[in-house]
Amino acid sequence: MHSNEGTEKIIDEEVQGTTLTLEENKDNSKKLYIESYGCQMNFSDSEIVASILAKEGFNTTQDMAEADLVLVNTCSIREKAELTVRKRLEKFNAVKKTNPGMKVGVLGCMAERLKSKFLEEEKIVDMVVGPDAYKDLPNLIQEIDEGRNAVNVILSKDETYGDVAPVRLNSNGVTAFVSITRGCDNMCTFCVVPFTRGRERSRDPQSILEEVNDLWERGFKEITLLGQNVDSYLWYGGGLKKDFEKATEMQKATSVNFAKLLEMTAMAQPKMRIRFSTSNPQDMTLDVIETMAKHRNICNYIHLPVQSGSNRILKAMNRLHTREEYFELIDNIKKIIPDCAISQDMITGFPTETEEDHQDTLSLMEYVKYDFGFMFAYSERPGTLAERKLDDDIPEETKKRRLRDIIDLQQKHSLYRTQQHMGQVEEVLIEGFSKKSDAHWMGRNSQNTVVVFPKENYKVGDFVNVKINECTSATLIGEAVGLSEYN
Ligand code: SAM
């Protein structure tokens, strides 16, 4: 479900395909046009790519026709995402006809799976670069400049780009994403991520803190620590998470887990708001929830995808927890942080899903009453365990009908949750203009709900106390009662 003010920060439909630009460097003469699709991780990766290419003489442009290099950072999570990118590649090729010097490159999750198709069969791109190979871009660009196709889709054991300072593209100057892990080891049977982004590795906490401190110095007020499964973060000097057992006693004793990283970040910049995404229920510990409760600057919001409410389907998805264990986690969150907002990701129509399984999903939602939700119909992905072992046997109409059911229920719960804020005074960080009215600011409260209120003399980046007077299921509407003491 997508708010009209853009509540979703995970896969924001409104930003799909956004062209990313950054400030011009006068010494740079070449032009880069870069478009991004998919999850926030991809948008964050594009900031790393732009940083690497800025050193190679590229400025970004929003006009594809004048570009020397067109890059598209791709997503494979559902078939629809791939189809959208394919359409864009056709468009790029049409432009290439009028601008033959222009080179086209595919980055990200579609790279590995479709490299030979793109380069050899269809010959629609000049370069294919996987998510762990961005540091090789200068060499690959040289290859294509010399008239050869270039490809690097090697997945790495230790690449985290910790030493590349990302440039902030299309930034509001207030909120930023900071990547802390790459890849995923979970092997959920529906998911293509472990195949496209490789095994899980964590970034050096020192480089994370340096990035956060630098963002604060530059006026940013909120960061989101980013990873496919942030709670699984584990730094022990570098290397894959799965190799932790081979680490030395010293490495184990000085290792940093997610709760510790969260605390270190919160303490490094006590006035910076801290969020994190995504949490996998199987890896979220009480330590993390207690750390959230201890620090005022860690926001009361957890994105906690469950995917299904049925134990049988959870097992078939290889989600390593039961419905009952999930409820226990929710109960603990609510006990330790009573006003904590929780959101979900849900998949309808996973192979073999019955009406009874679907009812289990609805009853799980009824128990939790999520604040937000991101819901999808199952899309079979090549190479995943589900694709190899299970028939995609739920008819499209059934998937759609069940999706409608859960979206409707989520809508009801979202409204129930926003209504709980009525009459309260809440601290809001102003991010920018309201899309619907120039006379209003748009920001978020700690629970990540969008709040809109008249501008008065406040400015972007202010923490403002706002009294909530009205609400829709996605937006709180209020009026400022003064600056927060937190500024
Ligand atoms: N790492 C997170 C997790 O495991 O919960 C999120 C990963 S994914 C980028 C975001 C969401 O896309 C997932 O939570 C899931 O709901 C959805 N998704 C992933 N694979 C899918 C598939 N094959 N069909 C439909 N939705 C899918």
Side-chain angles (χ1 to χ4, degrees):
M1 203 182 55
H2 305 287
S3 132
N4 46 11
E5 291 282 350
T7 304
E8 172 156 10
K9 280 198 166 183
I10 315 303
I11 299 176
D12 189 338
E13 294 295 347
E14 287 184 22
V15 299
Q16 295 300 300
T18 307
T19 327
L20 302 172
T21 52
L22 73 152
E23 233 171 73
E24 195 176 334
N25 176 337
K26 294 271 178 292
D27 298 332
N28 286 354
S29 57
K30 292 183 276 184
K31 292 216 162 32
L32 162 71
Y33 174 94
I34 181 164
E35 231 175 61
S36 301
Y37 293 86
C39 65
Q40 203 49 58
M41 202 80 197
N42 257 4
F43 284 76
S44 178
D45 279 1
S46 290
E47 299 187 330
I48 287 168
V49 169
S51 169
I52 292 168
L53 293 186
K55 294 196 181 74
E56 296 297 308
F58 283 93
N59 278 325
T60 43
T61 173
Q62 298 220 35
D63 181 6
M64 190 196 306
E66 65 164 21
D68 299 292
L69 179 62
V70 171
L71 296 179
V72 54
N73 201 343
T74 61
C75 169
S76 286
I77 201 83
R78 282 168 291 277
E79 192 183 11
K80 185 171 161 247
E82 286 199 354
L83 292 175
T84 310
V85 168
R86 285 198 147 271
K87 284 224 180 73
R88 290 305 288 161
L89 288 175
E90 281 164 27
K91 165 84 184 163
F92 298 162
N93 264 286
V95 176
K96 218 174 165 178
K97 295 219 167 71
T98 58
N99 178 8
M102 178 179 119
K103 305 285 183 198
V104 176
V106 166
L107 313 178
C109 292
M110 282 167 79
E112 161 60 27
R113 201 167 76 70
L114 295 168
K115 57 180 188 293
S116 20
K117 212 170 170 58
F118 286 155
L119 285 169
E120 287 144 31
E121 281 175 45
E122 300 178 12
K123 297 191 178 18
I124 49 171
V125 304
D126 305 287
M127 178 170 74
V128 175
V129 192
D132 286 346
Y134 298 143
K135 281 192 195 148
D136 196 24
L137 272 165
N139 302 323
L140 297 168
I141 289 171
Q142 196 176 342
E143 292 273 310
I144 57 174
D145 280 348
E146 289 166 8
R148 292 183 290 274
N149 282 343
V151 52
N152 185 345
V153 293
I154 296 169
L155 291 171
S156 157
K157 278 185 175 172
D158 45 24
E159 183 60 85
T160 60
Y161 299 108
D163 53 343
V164 179
V167 293
R168 304 292 158 180
L169 298 168
N170 283 13
S171 166
N172 58 11
V174 179
T175 60
F177 289 89
V178 175
S179 167
I180 65 163
T181 66
R182 294 187 73 83
C184 190
D185 281 351
N186 277 345
M187 300 307 278
C188 301
T189 57
F190 54 81
C191 190
V192 83
V193 168
F195 307 100
T196 61
R197 302 193 75 99
R199 302 303 299 255
E200 188 182 311
R201 63 225 103 110
S202 297
R203 176 178 167 191
D204 184 345
Q206 218 42 51
S207 87
I208 297 172
L209 293 180
E210 277 162 24
E211 188 174 335
V212 172
N213 288 338
D214 177 60
L215 285 164
W216 179 259
E217 294 297 316
R218 287 162 48 206
F220 285 81
K221 300 287 175 66
E222 179 184 301
I223 54 135
T224 302
L225 302 174
L226 210 60
Q228 294 297 337
N229 178 8
V230 284
D231 298 79
S232 172
Y233 176 90
L234 186 63
W235 172 258
Y236 61 98
L240 295 177
K241 162 102 183 224
K242 73 176 177 60
D243 294 335
F244 179 64
E245 54 193 44
K246 293 186 219 144
T248 63
E249 285 313 308
M250 186 60 148
Q251 282 175 319
K252 284 184 181 158
T254 54
S255 63
V256 176
N257 65 13
F258 183 59
K260 220 161 170 182
L261 176 76
L262 198 55
E263 174 140 283
M264 284 159 69
T265 316
M267 285 171 72
Q269 287 304 337
K271 289 196 165 185
M272 180 81 104
R273 262 191 181 181
I274 319 271
R275 300 188 187 278
F276 53 88
S277 188
T278 298
S279 290
N280 190 309
Q282 78 199 42
D283 292 303
M284 185 156 209
T285 60
L286 279 183
D287 274 7
V288 170
I289 309 165
E290 277 155 6
T291 306
M292 290 173 73
K294 213 162 91 190
H295 296 275
R296 187 197 189 280
N297 58 331
I298 305 177
C299 290
N300 291 344
Y301 169 55
I302 303 173
H303 182 52
L304 199 60
V306 64
Q307 319 295 1
S308 168
S310 150
N311 276 335
R312 195 181 66 80
I313 296 294
L314 285 171
K315 192 152 188 241
M317 287 176 163
N318 195 33
R319 302 287 290 185
L320 300 178
H321 63 83
T322 61
R323 167 190 173 91
E324 292 72 23
E325 284 162 340
Y326 188 79
F327 287 155
E328 200 181 316
L329 180 59
I330 298 286
D331 292 348
N332 279 326
I333 294 169
K334 293 285 180 182
K335 197 164 71 204
I336 299 169
I337 312 170
D339 66 343
C340 191
I342 300 173
S343 61
Q344 44 88 350
D345 284 350
M346 210 70 90
I347 297 177
T348 61
F350 185 79
T352 76
E353 186 188 68
T354 62
E355 283 307 317
E356 201 185 331
D357 295 321
H358 176 55
Q359 289 305 322
D360 283 349
T361 296
L362 294 171
S363 72
L364 177 137
M365 290 175 70
E366 206 55 82
Y367 184 90
V368 183
K369 294 196 175 55
Y370 293 99
D371 293 71
F372 326 106
F374 309 109
M375 294 148 281
F376 314 97
Y378 174 68
S379 165
E380 186 178 77
R381 306 312 295 133
T384 56
L385 288 165
E387 187 255 350
R388 282 183 269 155
K389 299 234 161 78
L390 299 166
D391 258 357
D392 183 8
D393 60 351
I394 308 300
E396 236 15 73
E397 320 81 84
T398 311
K399 285 183 188 172
K400 288 222 174 89
R401 197 239 316 138
R402 291 179 185 165
L403 184 60
R404 196 69 259 157
D405 287 350
I406 63 170
I407 289 174
D408 287 349
L409 186 59
Q410 184 53 55
Q411 187 88 21
K412 202 177 103 192
H413 291 157
S414 293
L415 182 62
Y416 166 77
R417 289 294 178 195
T418 53
Q419 281 168 345
Q420 309 310 304
H421 296 266
M422 295 285 283
Q424 312 256 40
V425 174
E426 299 188 346
E427 187 185 74
V428 176
L429 171 61
I430 302 178
E431 292 180 22
F433 298 115
S434 159
K435 279 186 198 138
K436 286 197 179 151
S437 150
D438 280 351
H440 288 73
W441 288 128
M442 170 271 177
R444 284 165 213 268
N445 62 8
S446 174
Q447 288 82 3
N448 206 36
T449 306
V450 170
V451 183
V452 170
F453 61 98
K455 279 180 170 170
E456 300 180 54
N457 291 323
Y458 300 102
K459 55 183 195 311
V460 170
D462 281 347
F463 287 101
V464 180
N465 289 325
V466 177
K467 169 131 192 287
I468 310 299
N469 298 323
E470 287 172 64
C471 68
T472 67
S473 62
T475 309
L476 302 173
I477 302 142
E479 60 189 331
V481 296
L483 271 178
S484 154
E485 55 172 29
Y486 208 46
N487 284 286

